[in-house]
Amino acid sequence: MATLHEISDPADPRLADYRDLRDVELRKHLEAEHGLFLAEGEKVVRRAVEAGFTPRSFLMAPRWLDGLADVLGTTDAPCYVLSEALAEEVTGFHVHRGALASLERRPLPSLEEVLEGARSVLVMEDLVDHTNVGAIFRSGAALGFDAVLLAPRCADPLYRRSIKVGMGAVFSTPWTRLPDWYDALPTLSALGFTTVALTLADDATPVEEAVAGVDKVALVLGSEGHGLSARWEASADRRAIIPMREGIDSLNVAAATAVACYVTARR
Amino acid sequence: MATLHEISDPADPRLADYRDLRDVELRKHLEAEHGLFLAEGEKVVRRAVEAGFTPRSFLMAPRWLDGLADVLGTTDAPCYVLSEALAEEVTGFHVHRGALASLERRPLPSLEEVLEGARSVLVMEDLVDHTNVGAIFRSGAALGFDAVLLAPRCADPLYRRSIKVGMGAVFSTPWTRLPDWYDALPTLSALGFTTVALTLADDATPVEEAVAGVDKVALVLGSEGHGLSARWEASADRRAIIPMREGIDSLNVAAATAVACYVTARR
């Protein structure tokens, strides 16, 4: 059973994991250096623990203790209990759904482990928006994708906001970082995947045609601003587009991915 | 040509339209009472003016003046010029892409005007998230929808964030508020539309079946939290679902809408 600690001082050093959650840059350093990530909200906290991540601590207002009693029962980690006003002082924002947990990151699995048995894979290049990364994990999970691969510079899927938007899909979906950016797509081709890059390139074929009849597919997604790098666009096996009305400057990457996942799942 | 005014005092009363842009509640009142909305970013500002909205004023850092010179040339509205640091003091946040405009809202068109010639229509019930509203406008525009209808309590598509996420699709897509919530869907049915509600209800059919062969379709979307109201779910002609992997608690509404729009556009 987690040990409860009532907190009355927002400067309490035991709350270090929960400081300044809105400061993205600070959080990136802090989380990387301490090997931790934060889960927010009762549902997401539960999913993180159920997925086997080891909690470092919990932080919540008293009214969440009952709902999470079963989760708290599985661990000896401290649970810091404080008012919502105090929680806001510590974290720098209004904590929706009242509960937070700090959990230990795990070593990332190898590419081979993640791809074991996978037939439909999402590959993100340099997405910068945590909301998009989370939404894409969620769409992939809902629409039948088996794994997610991230280029070395893609935004962190264990960042609090990614996890929250993804409703914890990052816990249930096997994922890892691609060890090498330059040859990432040829490597996937060599492993038996047809790499299909979503792009607005002139020679792109409608995604439905691009994936028709293909067994193992890796759907490749570029960043929000400039799309895929020239290298990735050129080294993909196929280039695909979602047919759109003329004059519209494309879907956002999360919407495009949802459509492409739906189509690919039905190939 | 817009008249340029250099600003050195962030408390300058002429900047009233641009105050505290992060305070959603305050902005709602201010914008409704003054009949204005804000466009953010060079591209979106340009689209708003090109769509015929009358500017009340502009606010930007000097480096944006050249890029928007053509737009500023079309109006006599004042353009307030100030440093980015000062702009941040006024608006309360870092102004991405440096340019803002305050524009006059226009009276909403009638339902009949908006539906004139439309074959594919999106209907949003009580969505609360401006990001989702904007993303849905954008997906609808990209995927061939002709018009958007909003329930009386749906979030404002002319809120700054909706416009920005939607990349100005709210300017190019005919839209209006439904005058009546209770009978909104029967009214659309009487106007010749088959209303197809996206839902997780047990009796829902896959969306591809639900729209197959239908001429005029109104795709009906519920709120982020609880989905459609019982009234709307019951009064829709058909209930449709996007087939998903078991155990996943559904797509978010923007992703689901993108998929449903794609499928519906190909009916």
Side-chain angles (χ1 to χ4, degrees):
Chain A
M1 172 69 195
T3 46
L4 305 186
H5 302 266
E6 290 207 17
I7 300 290
S8 53
D9 175 9
D12 192 313
R14 292 174 295 177
L15 308 186
D17 285 6
Y18 302 95
R19 296 255 172 255
D20 300 322
L21 296 185
R22 289 186 76 152
D23 186 333
V24 178
E25 287 311 313
L26 179 141
R27 294 298 310 180
K28 279 187 196 167
H29 292 299
L30 187 152
E31 297 187 7
E33 284 166 13
H34 295 277
L36 65 88
F37 69 94
L38 282 209
E40 178 185 3
E42 182 185 351
K43 195 183 274 189
V44 170
V45 167
R46 167 170 283 112
R47 286 185 186 174
V49 173
E50 285 177 355
F53 288 93
T54 305
R56 289 161 60 95
S57 65
F58 301 85
L59 179 149
M60 64 189 73
R63 67 186 175 104
W64 297 98
L65 288 169
D66 277 354
L68 282 165
D70 56 324
V71 174
L72 297 173
T74 64
T75 167
D76 293 327
C79 177
Y80 304 117
V81 183
L82 73 189
S83 69
E84 275 160 27
L86 220 51
E88 188 165 342
E89 247 183 277
V90 173
T91 60
F93 76 114
H94 180 69
V95 180
H96 300 285
R97 303 191 191 86
L100 290 164
S102 171
L103 302 111
E104 288 176 16
R105 289 179 185 245
R106 294 194 288 226
L108 291 177
S110 70
L111 188 56
E112 290 67 26
E113 286 172 83
V114 167
L115 293 179
E116 174 79 34
R119 190 170 168 259
S120 303
V121 175
L122 283 168
V123 189
M124 301 188 214
E125 200 181 11
D126 294 345
L127 281 85
V128 297
D129 183 314
H130 293 107
T131 302
N132 283 334
V133 171
I136 288 168
F137 262 90
R138 184 172 173 188
S139 290
L143 294 168
F145 273 64
D146 307 304
V148 176
L149 303 173
L150 306 175
R153 289 188 297 194
C154 182
D156 180 10
L158 286 179
Y159 189 74
R160 176 179 57 87
R161 184 124 188 90
S162 309
I163 297 174
K164 188 177 169 189
V165 170
M167 293 297 290
V170 66
F171 305 141
S172 54
T173 307
W175 69 274
T176 196
R177 291 269 172 197
L178 289 156
D180 170 51
W181 168 77
Y182 190 81
D183 276 326
L185 301 192
T187 301
L188 290 174
S189 303
L191 291 167
F193 286 84
T194 300
T195 54
V196 178
L198 275 193
T199 163
L200 300 172
D202 288 339
D203 67 343
T205 52
V207 63
E208 212 158 335
E209 285 174 36
V211 299
V214 179
D215 179 21
K216 286 159 58 166
V217 169
L219 201 59
V220 184
L221 315 169
S223 80
E224 296 86 356
H226 299 93
L228 289 166
S229 66
R231 168 63 188 167
W232 275 37
E233 188 152 311
S235 61
D237 297 315
R238 302 181 183 187
R239 278 166 291 287
I241 192 167
I242 295 166
M244 276 172 276
R245 175 138 64 182
E246 293 214 23
I248 299 291
D249 53 358
S250 91
L251 293 161
N252 76 34
V253 65
T257 302
V259 170
C261 286
Y262 177 85
V263 170
T264 302
R266 272 152 200 75
R267 68 188 181 272
Chain B
M1 173 70 193
T3 47
L4 305 186
H5 302 266
E6 290 208 19
I7 300 290
S8 54
D9 175 8
D12 192 313
R14 293 173 296 177
L15 307 185
D17 285 6
Y18 302 95
R19 297 253 171 257
D20 299 323
L21 295 185
R22 287 186 77 152
D23 185 333
V24 178
E25 287 310 313
L26 179 141
R27 294 299 309 180
K28 279 188 197 166
H29 292 298
L30 187 152
E31 297 187 7
E33 284 166 12
H34 294 278
L36 65 88
F37 69 95
L38 281 209
E40 178 185 2
E42 181 185 353
K43 195 182 275 189
V44 169
V45 167
R46 166 169 284 109
R47 286 186 186 174
V49 173
E50 286 177 356
F53 288 94
T54 304
R56 290 162 58 97
S57 65
F58 301 85
L59 179 149
M60 63 189 73
R63 67 185 174 105
W64 297 100
L65 288 170
D66 276 355
L68 281 165
D70 56 325
V71 174
L72 297 173
T74 64
T75 166
D76 293 329
C79 177
Y80 304 117
V81 183
L82 72 189
S83 70
E84 276 160 26
L86 220 51
E88 189 166 339
E89 247 184 275
V90 174
T91 62
F93 75 114
H94 180 69
V95 179
H96 299 286
R97 303 190 192 89
L100 289 165
S102 171
L103 303 109
E104 288 175 16
R105 290 182 185 243
R106 294 193 289 226
L108 291 177
S110 70
L111 188 57
E112 290 68 25
E113 286 172 82
V114 167
L115 293 179
E116 174 79 34
R119 188 169 168 261
S120 304
V121 176
L122 283 169
V123 189
M124 301 188 216
E125 199 181 10
D126 295 344
L127 281 85
V128 297
D129 183 313
H130 292 107
T131 302
N132 284 334
V133 171
I136 288 168
F137 261 90
R138 184 173 173 189
S139 290
L143 295 169
F145 273 64
D146 307 305
V148 176
L149 302 174
L150 306 176
R153 288 187 298 194
C154 182
D156 180 11
L158 286 179
Y159 190 74
R160 177 179 57 88
R161 184 124 188 91
S162 309
I163 297 174
K164 188 177 170 191
V165 170
M167 293 297 289
V170 65
F171 305 141
S172 55
T173 307
W175 69 273
T176 196
R177 291 269 171 197
L178 289 155
D180 169 53
W181 167 77
Y182 190 80
D183 276 326
L185 301 192
T187 300
L188 290 174
S189 302
L191 290 167
F193 285 84
T194 299
T195 55
V196 178
L198 274 194
T199 163
L200 300 172
D202 288 338
D203 66 344
T205 52
V207 62
E208 212 157 334
E209 286 174 35
V211 299
V214 178
D215 180 21
K216 287 161 55 169
V217 169
L219 201 59
V220 184
L221 315 168
S223 80
E224 296 86 356
H226 298 95
L228 288 166
S229 66
R231 168 63 188 168
W232 276 36
E233 188 152 311
S235 60
D237 297 315
R238 303 183 182 185
R239 277 166 290 288
I241 192 167
I242 294 167
M244 277 172 277
R245 174 140 61 183
E246 293 216 21
I248 299 291
D249 53 358
S250 91
L251 293 162
N252 76 33
V253 65
T257 301
V259 171
C261 286
Y262 177 85
V263 170
T264 302
R266 273 152 198 74
R267 69 189 180 272

